[in-house]
Amino acid sequence: SSGGGGRKKQLRPFMCITSQELAELTDEEVIGILPLLAVVSRARPSDKSRLVRLSQSADRIVAMTGDGVNDAAALRRADVGFAMGNGTAMAKEAADIVLLDDNIRSITQAVLYGRTIFNTIRKFIVFQSTVNLSSSLIVFLGPFLGFSFPLSLVQLLWVNLVMDTLAALAYGGEPALVEYMHVPPIPRKAKIVSRAMCFQFCCGGIYIALLSILFLLSPLLRLLFVREVDISATLHNNSSIAATPSSSSSSSNTADVAPNELAYMTAFFSLFIFFSTFFSFSVRVGEKINIFSHLSYNRAFLVVQLIIVLVQIGMTAVGGELVRVRPLLLHEWLLVVAI
C-alpha cells in the first residue's frame, strides 16, 4: 500500500490462468489478453490448438512445443513445431524441429540461428542484386555514351564467380549475434526482399555504375595510363606520316594505341572488382557505420576477400590475351585502389 492509507495498484505484466479459466473466455477475450498471457496451467490438447488458432488469427507467428500424441494437431497447425527428442513418433513427424537434447533452452538457439540464416540470405541478395544492377546499367547506357561493354566474356565469368559462389562462401560464415534476438519478429506476409533492401541495392548499384561510367569517360584518367613505349611509338608514327599512305598510318596508329587502351580497360576491370569487394563489407554490416563490426567472428569472409584480390592481381599479370588484360604498373595500381 502507498503512504496515507491509499491503495497502490499492482501491475501484472504477465498473466497466468488455468485451463478452466481459458475455456470460460470468448475468442475475442483470449485475443485481447494474448500479449500478457504467459502460462496456462493444466492445458489440454484442445487448449493448445485453440491458442495456436487464435494467435495466428491475430497475425502472430506461433511456435508450439509438445511430445505426446495429443500434441500432434497443435504442432502441425503452428508455424514452427518443436518436438522433444524423447517424444512420440507422431509428435516428431508433426513437428518441424526435434530437440534432441530435450532442453527447452535449445529453442532460443534455434531461433537465433534461424534469424542469422535469414539475415545472411538477405545480405547475399543485396550484394548480388547490386553487382547485377551496376553491370546492367553500364551495358544499357554504354551505347548511348559512346562505349560498348568494357568487360570480356572471361572477365564476366570472373565477375559472376565473385558475386555468386565466392559471395555465398563469404556470407555463409556470418556469426549468430545476440542482437538479432532483440529485433521484432518479421510479419507473416513480409517479403524476403524488403523496401530497405531495394533502396540499398538500388543506391549501391547506381553509385557503382556512375563511378564506372565516369572512369570510362574521363580523358584525364586515360592520360595516366600512357606508357613510355606508347609515347615513343606515337612519336615514330607521327614522323612517318608524310612518307606513308594514309591507310598504312591508320593501321599503324591502331597498333600503337591498343596497348594504352588495353591497360586502361584492365584498370577498369580491376576497379569494378574492387568496387564489388568494398561494397561486400558495407552489405555485411547493414546500417552500421563500422564496416569491420564483428569481422573477427567470420574469418572466412576475410579469406574470401583476400583470395579475390590476389586472384585479380595475378589475373592481370599473367592473363594476357585470354583474359584481355595487360599488367599494370605500380602507380596505376595505386590509382585504382585510391579510386
Side-chain angles (χ1 to χ4, degrees), residues 134-150 209 213 216-217:
S134 60
S135 59
S136 299
L137 288 175
I138 296 173
V139 172
F140 178 76
L141 297 177
F144 297 98
L145 298 176
F147 63 88
S148 57
F149 190 62
I213 292 174
L216 290 171
L217 297 179

Side-chain angles (χ1 to χ4, degrees), residues 251-267:
S251 176
S252 176
N253 183 60
T254 303
D256 293 335
V257 173
N260 175 27
E261 182 69 16
L262 184 57
Y264 192 69
M265 300 313 297
T266 301

Side-chain angles (χ1 to χ4, degrees), residues 212-225:
S212 300
I213 292 174
L214 291 177
F215 181 86
L216 290 171
L217 297 179
S218 175
L220 297 178
L221 289 177
R222 288 181 180 272
L223 296 178
L224 300 177
F225 291 87

Side-chain angles (χ1 to χ4, degrees), residues 264-337:
Y264 192 69
M265 300 313 297
T266 301
F268 168 77
F269 174 42
S270 300
L271 183 67
F272 189 82
I273 293 296
F274 291 163
F275 276 153
S276 302
T277 301
F278 181 80
F279 189 76
S280 65
F281 282 85
S282 176
V283 171
R284 201 187 136 268
V285 298
E287 298 179 355
K288 296 180 180 179
I289 299 177
N290 183 13
I291 62 174
F292 303 107
S293 177
H294 304 292
L295 190 57
S296 60
Y297 296 104
N298 188 4
R299 296 182 178 179
F301 183 88
L302 290 175
V303 172
V304 170
Q305 302 307 322
L306 180 61
I307 291 176
I308 293 175
V309 173
L310 293 179
V311 171
Q312 181 64 31
I313 296 175
M315 191 181 300
T316 58
V318 300
E321 295 183 0
L322 177 63
V323 190
R324 204 197 69 181
V325 293
R326 178 175 181 176
L328 298 179
L329 302 178
L330 178 59
H331 74 276
E332 295 171 341
W333 277 118
L334 293 177
L335 176 62
V336 171
V337 173

Side-chain angles (χ1 to χ4, degrees), residues 39-53:
V39 177
V40 178
S41 62
R42 294 187 172 275
R44 297 171 297 180
S46 58
D47 295 332
K48 295 182 179 181
S49 297
R50 184 189 180 194
L51 286 173
V52 171
R53 175 176 57 81

